[in-house]
Amino acid sequence: MLFHSRALSVPSPAGAMRRVWYKAGSTASIATVAKNGLRMPRVGVAGATGAVGDPSCVANEAGGECPGVNKGSSLVQMRAKTQKSSTQQYPHDLMTCNTSTAPLKTASMTEAQYDAIVASITGLINQLSATCTATNCDRADFMGCVLRMAGHDFMDYDPTTQTGGSDGCTSMVHADNAGLAACLYAGESGVSMAQAYQDHCGDVSLADFLVVAAEAVMSQSRVLANLSPVDFKSSFSYGRETATACPDAASRLPDPLRGCTAVSETFLTAMGLDWAGAAALMGVHTMGRARTENSGFHGWWSDPVNSGIFNNDYYISLMAKGWRPETAVGGTTVKSQWGRSDNGQDQSFAGHEMMLDTDMCLAYAHQGQPVDSQVHDCCAWVTFAVGGVRCGNKMQCCGPPGPVADCGNEDNPTGPAAAAVRSFGDDESFWLGEFLKAWELVTGNGFTDLIPLGSTTTPAPTPAPRSEEHTSELQSPLQS
């Protein structure tokens, strides 16, 4: 998932493996899907591994400029500067600044500087193909990767030591971060954040830059879809200090196979959200997809088109579609997840839609516990419309093979954030408001002296690099 999809492979030095969410290849008949996709006798959970081709500007292998990229920031040049040593595992070492020494902490920042970063990220997005199909969706893949990078940065916050959070640091060689190198510096379909960073690295810390980059992709995705942008700038504050090393950070990322236990530990206890806030933040899963080669999971959280738009389709999908546990998709083994089961499902491998336990448990409970794909053989569906959409009756929502139990009460689902999921699906503006509150909280965790844009106050000087080496409307019956 955006934030918590466990990865099985790491980026190779020569070509980036993607950690974007799922890809595709073959098609499968209804019979094949019924046999291999929905809940059948369990098989071993093993994720496939394999490298994704390096989609860079191969015409410039001599070190020349990539088309449309500023001089000195081509992907070939980025690689030359970032592939120096296997010890360079942290973004601080990999995101080199060609023109000056990058500050660990932003001294001052104006609205114009914020807008300039947004423009740089938007420029990368506009270089990518606008075509989005089940097999190829470059913009969604890049934007989803940028969001995951920001999420994996802030989800490692440790409230006990007050380390981690949006400090621009995570171990890029950790299995859970497989694929993130693509959009960070190696090249996701020919572009990377390292290219955009060159125009700002002399003034803005990497920690602040990654937050603004994520805000840019969320807002710009809506502009490209002719929707109103999200005003992140009004609540943005700068002054995050970049950590130069964080050896234990990635180990704190949540494991989606642990469902709502993981959500509770990371989103509630560590990051300080409530269940509604956790559900609001999880809406980033509307963008991007899961890939077996990175995480062991496979599928889109939304359909391919919606996967490139920051909207509330994630919540509509959770409740307006039917879902059943699966450990294989079209004959390919995947980690235990939930596959779309209603009549509207795309039966091809490429177009497969899925949810993780950390998604499903927000809305559904079975036998008094949040649903668990490894334990509960049931169909999750509801009888009412969400966002004006519903899958139909049980046969239309759950499909073959054979009878299957309902995941809890289909008339009144009792997951710890069920009411929030339904409200967010019915009212996008309400969700966006709640998302902004959650986003501001989690991207500010661990920093006590952040400064609003345009302020004349200067952050307190930092003597040493920040490094972990040194250091009721939305209530539901199961909410704790």
Side-chain angles (χ1 to χ4, degrees):
M1 43 186 289
L2 150 93
F3 295 147
H4 24 331
S5 198
R6 290 304 228 204
L8 300 179
S9 51
V10 297
S12 66
M17 293 187 64
R18 304 186 180 190
R19 183 206 180 69
V20 199
W21 305 102
Y22 44 143
K23 197 172 179 178
S26 61
T27 58
S29 65
I30 296 177
T32 302
V33 172
K35 179 179 179 180
N36 295 320
L38 298 178
R39 181 65 168 250
M40 298 299 287
R42 288 276 175 197
V43 296
V45 177
T49 59
V52 175
D54 187 3
S56 63
C57 53
V58 293
N60 294 304
E61 287 300 325
E65 296 179 48
C66 294
V69 179
N70 291 339
K71 184 176 181 179
S73 61
S74 75
L75 284 179
V76 173
Q77 291 165 323
M78 289 298 101
R79 291 194 187 96
K81 290 178 178 293
T82 57
Q83 293 171 6
K84 299 174 183 176
S85 168
S86 60
T87 62
Q88 293 181 318
Q89 61 174 299
Y90 302 114
H92 172 263
D93 300 314
L94 296 164
M95 296 284 280
T96 54
C97 188
N98 296 343
T99 58
S100 61
T101 300
L104 293 179
K105 193 170 186 177
T106 308
S108 64
M109 188 174 181
T110 65
E111 291 188 19
Q113 287 175 298
Y114 180 98
D115 291 339
I117 296 174
V118 171
S120 294
I121 297 298
T122 299
L124 297 180
I125 295 171
N126 290 339
Q127 291 181 47
L128 299 171
S129 171
T131 301
C132 185
T133 66
T135 53
N136 294 291
C137 197
D138 290 346
R139 284 182 175 176
D141 287 345
F142 174 72
M143 292 188 290
C145 182
V146 172
L147 275 181
R148 277 193 303 283
M149 183 66 225
H152 283 219
D153 187 13
F154 66 63
M155 283 197 304
D156 63 13
Y157 178 63
D158 184 343
T160 302
T161 61
Q162 295 188 13
T163 56
S166 291
D167 58 1
C169 193
T170 188
S171 173
M172 300 303 292
V173 299
H174 194 283
D176 282 6
N177 289 327
L180 292 182
C183 65
L184 184 66
Y185 67 90
E188 178 78 42
S189 300
V191 300
S192 75
M193 285 188 281
Q195 296 164 281
Y197 187 49
Q198 294 308 308
D199 292 331
H200 314 284
C201 60
D203 302 306
V204 179
S205 72
L206 178 59
D208 281 335
F209 174 82
L210 292 178
V211 174
V212 179
E215 294 179 353
V217 300
M218 287 185 279
S219 190
Q220 181 62 17
S221 74
R222 293 180 59 83
V223 173
L224 292 171
N226 296 315
L227 299 174
S228 59
V230 181
D231 181 15
F232 288 101
K233 185 169 67 172
S234 293
S235 57
F236 180 80
S237 295
Y238 64 89
R240 296 167 185 80
E241 184 188 344
T242 304
T244 59
C246 48
D248 299 322
S251 64
R252 294 195 290 270
L253 295 176
D255 180 354
L257 291 175
R258 297 180 64 234
C260 272
T261 298
V263 176
S264 179
E265 291 173 352
T266 300
F267 286 66
L268 277 64
T269 302
M271 294 197 295
L273 298 168
D274 58 14
W275 280 107
L281 192 64
M282 207 77 78
V284 295
H285 277 172
T286 198
M287 301 187 72
R289 50 177 163 173
R291 298 180 188 273
T292 54
E293 63 264 31
N294 293 325
S295 65
F297 300 102
H298 171 78
W300 306 85
W301 279 273
S302 297
D303 59 86
V305 172
N306 277 296
S307 72
I309 307 171
F310 185 60
N311 61 17
N312 68 337
D313 193 72
Y314 167 76
Y315 305 102
I316 296 172
S317 293
L318 266 175
M319 284 191 165
K321 299 173 183 177
W323 303 97
R324 294 179 64 174
E326 62 183 4
T327 53
V329 179
T332 298
T333 300
V334 297
K335 284 185 177 182
S336 190
Q337 60 181 36
W338 296 80
R340 184 176 177 181
S341 59
D342 63 80
N343 288 347
Q345 65 177 289
D346 186 328
Q347 296 168 5
S348 70
F349 183 80
H352 188 69
E353 294 178 47
M354 64 91 222
M355 291 283 173
L356 304 175
D357 281 328
T358 38
D359 301 306
M360 295 295 293
C361 74
L362 297 172
Y364 299 99
H366 188 59
Q367 298 174 343
Q369 297 294 324
V371 291
D372 181 340
S373 64
Q374 301 172 90
V375 176
H376 299 140
D377 187 2
C378 59
C379 175
W381 69 291
V382 297
T383 57
F384 50 85
V386 176
V389 182
R390 62 188 293 262
C391 56
N393 58 37
K394 183 173 182 178
M395 179 60 69
Q396 293 169 323
C397 295
C398 301
V404 62
D406 298 322
C407 291
N409 186 342
E410 69 273 21
D411 296 318
N412 183 31
T414 55
V421 170
R422 184 173 184 178
S423 295
F424 297 157
D426 284 335
D427 189 340
E428 184 176 79
S429 62
F430 175 56
W431 163 62
L432 288 172
E434 295 303 302
F435 178 87
L436 283 169
K437 296 176 189 175
W439 181 260
E440 184 176 2
L441 172 64
V442 300
T443 57
N445 276 334
F447 302 97
T448 59
D449 57 351
L450 297 183
I451 300 172
L453 282 177
S455 172
T456 57
T457 304
T458 301
T462 304
R466 189 171 187 267
S467 170
E468 289 186 26
E469 290 177 317
H470 310 297
T471 59
S472 24
E473 173 191 1
L474 302 179
Q475 301 285 317
S476 292
L478 289 184
Q479 182 165 338
S480 57

